[in-house]
Amino acid sequence: MTKQTAQACLVAVTSFYLFMKLTPSIPQPQSYHDFADKREFLAIPNAYNVISNFPFMVIGLIGLILCHHTNYFNFRLQGELWGWKCFYVAVTSVAFGSSYYHLGPNDNGLVWDRLPMTVAFTSLVAILIIERVDAKKGTVLIIPLIMAAMTSSVYWRLFGDIRPYLLVQTVSCIAIPLMAILLPPMYTHSMYWLLAAGFYPLAMLQETADRLIYAATFHTVSGHTLKHLSAAMVPLILTVMLAKRRPLHAKSA
C-alpha cells in the first residue's frame, strides 16, 4: 500500500467515525412502506410495484451475457470485467430483492431491496477508479467497497440506523458524476455516464412524489412504479455506452 493510499484510507475511516459520532441516529420511517398503488393483478399484491422490477432482471442478465461474449464490450483491463460483472449481478439481484420486498413491504424485505442497490453503486465507483485513477488500486478496491455497501444495509437492519446506507448512497451518487466530469476518460462516449447518473435523482424525485403522481395520473401509475423504471434506465444507458464506446488511444492502458 502506497503512502497516498494509506492516507486516503485513514481520511475515509476518520471521516466516517466523526460522521457517526457527531450525527444522530436515523431510524427507518415505517411510513415508507405505505405505497400509493396497492392494486392486485393476477393474484400478485402490489402488482405494479412488483412487476416494474422486471427490467432490472432483463438488463442485468443481458449485461452478464455480453460480459462473457468474446469480450463484446472491449474491456482493456481485467479489473473492468470484474467490476462490471459485479454491477450486473447486483442489477439482476435488484429485480428479485425489490420484487420480494414489494410483495409485502416491511423492514425485513427492504434490506434485500437495498443490499443489491448499494453493491451496484459501489461497483460503479470502483469501475471509474479503475478506468480513470489507477487500475490496480481500483481493482483491489472492488471487494472492500462492495463489503462496505453490504455492511451499511446490514448495520441498518441490526441497529435500526440508516445513516451508513444513506452515506453510501449519497457519496456514490456524488462521486460517480464528479469522476465522470473531472477525470480524463479511457473510452469514447463518456457523456453516457452523466446521462445515466441523471436518471437516479429523477427516480428519487418520483419516489418522493409517489402519491402525488398516482393522483395526478388518475390512479394509472404511481411515482414508485415510475421510480423503478427510471432507475432501470441507469444500467440500460451504461450497457448502451459499453456497446458503443471505443478506446481513446491517447490514454494508455
PDB file of all heavy atoms in Angstrom, residues 208-231:
ATOM      1  N   THR A 208     -40.409  10.194  -4.054  1.00  0.00           N
ATOM      2  CA  THR A 208     -40.921  11.173  -3.094  1.00  0.00           C
ATOM      3  C   THR A 208     -42.341  11.611  -3.452  1.00  0.00           C
ATOM      4  O   THR A 208     -43.180  11.834  -2.569  1.00  0.00           O
ATOM      5  CB  THR A 208     -39.996  12.397  -3.042  1.00  0.00           C
ATOM      6  OG1 THR A 208     -38.674  11.975  -2.689  1.00  0.00           O
ATOM      7  CG2 THR A 208     -40.481  13.419  -2.038  1.00  0.00           C
ATOM      8  N   ALA A 209     -42.608  11.709  -4.748  1.00  0.00           N
ATOM      9  CA  ALA A 209     -43.925  12.160  -5.218  1.00  0.00           C
ATOM     10  C   ALA A 209     -44.839  10.981  -5.540  1.00  0.00           C
ATOM     11  O   ALA A 209     -45.724  11.084  -6.401  1.00  0.00           O
ATOM     12  CB  ALA A 209     -43.753  13.047  -6.453  1.00  0.00           C
ATOM     13  N   ASP A 210     -44.664   9.878  -4.857  1.00  0.00           N
ATOM     14  CA  ASP A 210     -45.411   8.643  -5.124  1.00  0.00           C
ATOM     15  C   ASP A 210     -46.918   8.890  -5.195  1.00  0.00           C
ATOM     16  O   ASP A 210     -47.566   8.616  -6.209  1.00  0.00           O
ATOM     17  CB  ASP A 210     -45.084   7.616  -4.034  1.00  0.00           C
ATOM     18  CG  ASP A 210     -45.763   6.282  -4.256  1.00  0.00           C
ATOM     19  OD1 ASP A 210     -45.962   5.896  -5.418  1.00  0.00           O
ATOM     20  OD2 ASP A 210     -46.092   5.617  -3.248  1.00  0.00           O
ATOM     21  N   ARG A 211     -47.477   9.440  -4.136  1.00  0.00           N
ATOM     22  CA  ARG A 211     -48.927   9.647  -4.078  1.00  0.00           C
ATOM     23  C   ARG A 211     -49.397  10.763  -5.001  1.00  0.00           C
ATOM     24  O   ARG A 211     -50.467  10.686  -5.597  1.00  0.00           O
ATOM     25  CB  ARG A 211     -49.355   9.935  -2.641  1.00  0.00           C
ATOM     26  CG  ARG A 211     -49.127   8.759  -1.708  1.00  0.00           C
ATOM     27  CD  ARG A 211     -49.652   9.028  -0.307  1.00  0.00           C
ATOM     28  NE  ARG A 211     -49.396   7.882   0.541  1.00  0.00           N
ATOM     29  CZ  ARG A 211     -50.146   6.783   0.555  1.00  0.00           C
ATOM     30  NH1 ARG A 211     -51.200   6.706  -0.234  1.00  0.00           N
ATOM     31  NH2 ARG A 211     -49.847   5.773   1.354  1.00  0.00           N
ATOM     32  N   LEU A 212     -48.577  11.805  -5.112  1.00  0.00           N
ATOM     33  CA  LEU A 212     -48.938  12.925  -5.972  1.00  0.00           C
ATOM     34  C   LEU A 212     -49.050  12.473  -7.430  1.00  0.00           C
ATOM     35  O   LEU A 212     -50.007  12.829  -8.137  1.00  0.00           O
ATOM     36  CB  LEU A 212     -47.888  14.033  -5.843  1.00  0.00           C
ATOM     37  CG  LEU A 212     -48.107  15.287  -6.677  1.00  0.00           C
ATOM     38  CD1 LEU A 212     -49.402  15.981  -6.264  1.00  0.00           C
ATOM     39  CD2 LEU A 212     -46.925  16.249  -6.517  1.00  0.00           C
ATOM     40  N   ILE A 213     -48.096  11.692  -7.883  1.00  0.00           N
ATOM     41  CA  ILE A 213     -48.119  11.192  -9.263  1.00  0.00           C
ATOM     42  C   ILE A 213     -49.296  10.232  -9.461  1.00  0.00           C
ATOM     43  O   ILE A 213     -49.965  10.248 -10.498  1.00  0.00           O
ATOM     44  CB  ILE A 213     -46.782  10.515  -9.609  1.00  0.00           C
ATOM     45  CG1 ILE A 213     -45.663  11.557  -9.656  1.00  0.00           C
ATOM     46  CG2 ILE A 213     -46.870   9.764 -10.941  1.00  0.00           C
ATOM     47  CD1 ILE A 213     -44.272  10.983  -9.824  1.00  0.00           C
ATOM     48  N   TYR A 214     -49.547   9.394  -8.458  1.00  0.00           N
ATOM     49  CA  TYR A 214     -50.656   8.443  -8.557  1.00  0.00           C
ATOM     50  C   TYR A 214     -51.986   9.175  -8.704  1.00  0.00           C
ATOM     51  O   TYR A 214     -52.850   8.787  -9.513  1.00  0.00           O
ATOM     52  CB  TYR A 214     -50.659   7.559  -7.315  1.00  0.00           C
ATOM     53  CG  TYR A 214     -51.529   6.333  -7.414  1.00  0.00           C
ATOM     54  CD1 TYR A 214     -51.447   5.465  -8.504  1.00  0.00           C
ATOM     55  CD2 TYR A 214     -52.436   6.024  -6.395  1.00  0.00           C
ATOM     56  CE1 TYR A 214     -52.226   4.331  -8.581  1.00  0.00           C
ATOM     57  CE2 TYR A 214     -53.234   4.884  -6.460  1.00  0.00           C
ATOM     58  CZ  TYR A 214     -53.122   4.044  -7.556  1.00  0.00           C
ATOM     59  OH  TYR A 214     -53.899   2.912  -7.629  1.00  0.00           O
ATOM     60  N   ALA A 215     -52.148  10.260  -7.948  1.00  0.00           N
ATOM     61  CA  ALA A 215     -53.376  11.044  -8.042  1.00  0.00           C
ATOM     62  C   ALA A 215     -53.438  11.806  -9.356  1.00  0.00           C
ATOM     63  O   ALA A 215     -54.495  11.880  -9.999  1.00  0.00           O
ATOM     64  CB  ALA A 215     -53.467  12.013  -6.863  1.00  0.00           C
ATOM     65  N   ALA A 216     -52.298  12.375  -9.769  1.00  0.00           N
ATOM     66  CA  ALA A 216     -52.265  13.182 -10.992  1.00  0.00           C
ATOM     67  C   ALA A 216     -52.534  12.348 -12.246  1.00  0.00           C
ATOM     68  O   ALA A 216     -53.039  12.871 -13.246  1.00  0.00           O
ATOM     69  CB  ALA A 216     -50.908  13.876 -11.119  1.00  0.00           C
ATOM     70  N   THR A 217     -52.195  11.055 -12.193  1.00  0.00           N
ATOM     71  CA  THR A 217     -52.433  10.171 -13.344  1.00  0.00           C
ATOM     72  C   THR A 217     -53.743   9.406 -13.204  1.00  0.00           C
ATOM     73  O   THR A 217     -53.959   8.407 -13.901  1.00  0.00           O
ATOM     74  CB  THR A 217     -51.274   9.171 -13.500  1.00  0.00           C
ATOM     75  OG1 THR A 217     -51.167   8.374 -12.303  1.00  0.00           O
ATOM     76  CG2 THR A 217     -49.957   9.874 -13.761  1.00  0.00           C
ATOM     77  N   PHE A 218     -54.624   9.889 -12.286  1.00  0.00           N
ATOM     78  CA  PHE A 218     -55.935   9.272 -12.063  1.00  0.00           C
ATOM     79  C   PHE A 218     -55.798   7.783 -11.743  1.00  0.00           C
ATOM     80  O   PHE A 218     -56.489   6.932 -12.307  1.00  0.00           O
ATOM     81  CB  PHE A 218     -56.843   9.492 -13.278  1.00  0.00           C
ATOM     82  CG  PHE A 218     -57.047  10.940 -13.604  1.00  0.00           C
ATOM     83  CD1 PHE A 218     -56.325  11.537 -14.635  1.00  0.00           C
ATOM     84  CD2 PHE A 218     -57.920  11.731 -12.863  1.00  0.00           C
ATOM     85  CE1 PHE A 218     -56.486  12.884 -14.942  1.00  0.00           C
ATOM     86  CE2 PHE A 218     -58.092  13.077 -13.162  1.00  0.00           C
ATOM     87  CZ  PHE A 218     -57.365  13.656 -14.201  1.00  0.00           C
ATOM     88  N   HIS A 219     -54.850   7.500 -10.852  1.00  0.00           N
ATOM     89  CA  HIS A 219     -54.605   6.140 -10.359  1.00  0.00           C
ATOM     90  C   HIS A 219     -54.198   5.182 -11.480  1.00  0.00           C
ATOM     91  O   HIS A 219     -54.510   3.983 -11.423  1.00  0.00           O
ATOM     92  CB  HIS A 219     -55.824   5.606  -9.621  1.00  0.00           C
ATOM     93  CG  HIS A 219     -56.133   6.396  -8.381  1.00  0.00           C
ATOM     94  ND1 HIS A 219     -57.155   6.057  -7.522  1.00  0.00           N
ATOM     95  CD2 HIS A 219     -55.553   7.498  -7.843  1.00  0.00           C
ATOM     96  CE1 HIS A 219     -57.188   6.928  -6.515  1.00  0.00           C
ATOM     97  NE2 HIS A 219     -56.223   7.809  -6.691  1.00  0.00           N
ATOM     98  N   THR A 220     -53.479   5.720 -12.467  1.00  0.00           N
ATOM     99  CA  THR A 220     -52.966   4.881 -13.548  1.00  0.00           C
ATOM    100  C   THR A 220     -51.600   4.322 -13.198  1.00  0.00           C
ATOM    101  O   THR A 220     -51.330   3.127 -13.376  1.00  0.00           O
ATOM    102  CB  THR A 220     -52.858   5.684 -14.861  1.00  0.00           C
ATOM    103  OG1 THR A 220     -54.149   6.188 -15.206  1.00  0.00           O
ATOM    104  CG2 THR A 220     -52.333   4.812 -15.996  1.00  0.00           C
ATOM    105  N   VAL A 221     -50.708   5.186 -12.708  1.00  0.00           N
ATOM    106  CA  VAL A 221     -49.355   4.758 -12.352  1.00  0.00           C
ATOM    107  C   VAL A 221     -48.885   5.590 -11.165  1.00  0.00           C
ATOM    108  O   VAL A 221     -49.218   6.776 -11.060  1.00  0.00           O
ATOM    109  CB  VAL A 221     -48.386   4.906 -13.550  1.00  0.00           C
ATOM    110  CG1 VAL A 221     -48.230   6.378 -13.963  1.00  0.00           C
ATOM    111  CG2 VAL A 221     -47.025   4.298 -13.243  1.00  0.00           C
ATOM    112  N   SER A 222     -48.139   4.978 -10.282  1.00  0.00           N
ATOM    113  CA  SER A 222     -47.657   5.686  -9.097  1.00  0.00           C
ATOM    114  C   SER A 222     -46.225   6.162  -9.297  1.00  0.00           C
ATOM    115  O   SER A 222     -45.502   5.688 -10.187  1.00  0.00           O
ATOM    116  CB  SER A 222     -47.713   4.769  -7.870  1.00  0.00           C
ATOM    117  OG  SER A 222     -46.734   3.741  -7.969  1.00  0.00           O
ATOM    118  N   GLY A 223     -45.809   7.073  -8.436  1.00  0.00           N
ATOM    119  CA  GLY A 223     -44.440   7.569  -8.511  1.00  0.00           C
ATOM    120  C   GLY A 223     -43.426   6.476  -8.242  1.00  0.00           C
ATOM    121  O   GLY A 223     -42.351   6.458  -8.851  1.00  0.00           O
ATOM    122  N   HIS A 224     -43.758   5.530  -7.351  1.00  0.00           N
ATOM    123  CA  HIS A 224     -42.788   4.481  -7.029  1.00  0.00           C
ATOM    124  C   HIS A 224     -42.599   3.519  -8.203  1.00  0.00           C
ATOM    125  O   HIS A 224     -41.483   3.058  -8.456  1.00  0.00           O
ATOM    126  CB  HIS A 224     -43.217   3.715  -5.779  1.00  0.00           C
ATOM    127  CG  HIS A 224     -42.079   2.986  -5.144  1.00  0.00           C
ATOM    128  ND1 HIS A 224     -41.208   3.571  -4.261  1.00  0.00           N
ATOM    129  CD2 HIS A 224     -41.634   1.709  -5.304  1.00  0.00           C
ATOM    130  CE1 HIS A 224     -40.293   2.697  -3.886  1.00  0.00           C
ATOM    131  NE2 HIS A 224     -40.531   1.556  -4.510  1.00  0.00           N
ATOM    132  N   THR A 225     -43.666   3.233  -8.910  1.00  0.00           N
ATOM    133  CA  THR A 225     -43.534   2.408 -10.112  1.00  0.00           C
ATOM    134  C   THR A 225     -42.643   3.096 -11.142  1.00  0.00           C
ATOM    135  O   THR A 225     -41.764   2.476 -11.741  1.00  0.00           O
ATOM    136  CB  THR A 225     -44.917   2.115 -10.715  1.00  0.00           C
ATOM    137  OG1 THR A 225     -45.687   1.343  -9.780  1.00  0.00           O
ATOM    138  CG2 THR A 225     -44.797   1.340 -12.019  1.00  0.00           C
ATOM    139  N   LEU A 226     -42.860   4.406 -11.340  1.00  0.00           N
ATOM    140  CA  LEU A 226     -42.026   5.165 -12.268  1.00  0.00           C
ATOM    141  C   LEU A 226     -40.583   5.220 -11.776  1.00  0.00           C
ATOM    142  O   LEU A 226     -39.646   5.226 -12.584  1.00  0.00           O
ATOM    143  CB  LEU A 226     -42.572   6.572 -12.442  1.00  0.00           C
ATOM    144  CG  LEU A 226     -43.905   6.689 -13.184  1.00  0.00           C
ATOM    145  CD1 LEU A 226     -44.342   8.155 -13.262  1.00  0.00           C
ATOM    146  CD2 LEU A 226     -43.806   6.104 -14.593  1.00  0.00           C
ATOM    147  N   LYS A 227     -40.403   5.252 -10.457  1.00  0.00           N
ATOM    148  CA  LYS A 227     -39.053   5.239  -9.892  1.00  0.00           C
ATOM    149  C   LYS A 227     -38.292   4.005 -10.352  1.00  0.00           C
ATOM    150  O   LYS A 227     -37.123   4.074 -10.736  1.00  0.00           O
ATOM    151  CB  LYS A 227     -39.114   5.271  -8.370  1.00  0.00           C
ATOM    152  CG  LYS A 227     -37.752   5.152  -7.702  1.00  0.00           C
ATOM    153  CD  LYS A 227     -37.753   4.103  -6.620  1.00  0.00           C
ATOM    154  CE  LYS A 227     -36.353   3.949  -6.015  1.00  0.00           C
ATOM    155  NZ  LYS A 227     -36.340   3.070  -4.839  1.00  0.00           N
ATOM    156  N   HIS A 228     -38.934   2.836 -10.313  1.00  0.00           N
ATOM    157  CA  HIS A 228     -38.279   1.605 -10.767  1.00  0.00           C
ATOM    158  C   HIS A 228     -37.872   1.709 -12.239  1.00  0.00           C
ATOM    159  O   HIS A 228     -36.758   1.327 -12.612  1.00  0.00           O
ATOM    160  CB  HIS A 228     -39.217   0.416 -10.587  1.00  0.00           C
ATOM    161  CG  HIS A 228     -39.437   0.040  -9.157  1.00  0.00           C
ATOM    162  ND1 HIS A 228     -40.477  -0.778  -8.749  1.00  0.00           N
ATOM    163  CD2 HIS A 228     -38.764   0.367  -8.012  1.00  0.00           C
ATOM    164  CE1 HIS A 228     -40.422  -0.939  -7.438  1.00  0.00           C
ATOM    165  NE2 HIS A 228     -39.401  -0.247  -6.971  1.00  0.00           N
ATOM    166  N   LEU A 229     -38.764   2.238 -13.053  1.00  0.00           N
ATOM    167  CA  LEU A 229     -38.471   2.335 -14.486  1.00  0.00           C
ATOM    168  C   LEU A 229     -37.351   3.337 -14.758  1.00  0.00           C
ATOM    169  O   LEU A 229     -36.490   3.094 -15.614  1.00  0.00           O
ATOM    170  CB  LEU A 229     -39.742   2.718 -15.245  1.00  0.00           C
ATOM    171  CG  LEU A 229     -40.912   1.730 -15.101  1.00  0.00           C
ATOM    172  CD1 LEU A 229     -42.133   2.239 -15.855  1.00  0.00           C
ATOM    173  CD2 LEU A 229     -40.517   0.347 -15.598  1.00  0.00           C
ATOM    174  N   SER A 230     -37.341   4.448 -14.042  1.00  0.00           N
ATOM    175  CA  SER A 230     -36.269   5.437 -14.216  1.00  0.00           C
ATOM    176  C   SER A 230     -34.935   4.886 -13.732  1.00  0.00           C
ATOM    177  O   SER A 230     -33.900   5.076 -14.377  1.00  0.00           O
ATOM    178  CB  SER A 230     -36.607   6.733 -13.468  1.00  0.00           C
ATOM    179  OG  SER A 230     -37.700   7.388 -14.051  1.00  0.00           O
ATOM    180  N   ALA A 231     -34.956   4.200 -12.585  1.00  0.00           N
ATOM    181  CA  ALA A 231     -33.720   3.621 -12.064  1.00  0.00           C
ATOM    182  C   ALA A 231     -33.169   2.555 -13.007  1.00  0.00           C
ATOM    183  O   ALA A 231     -31.949   2.411 -13.148  1.00  0.00           O
ATOM    184  CB  ALA A 231     -33.962   3.031 -10.682  1.00  0.00           C
TER     185      ALA A 231
END
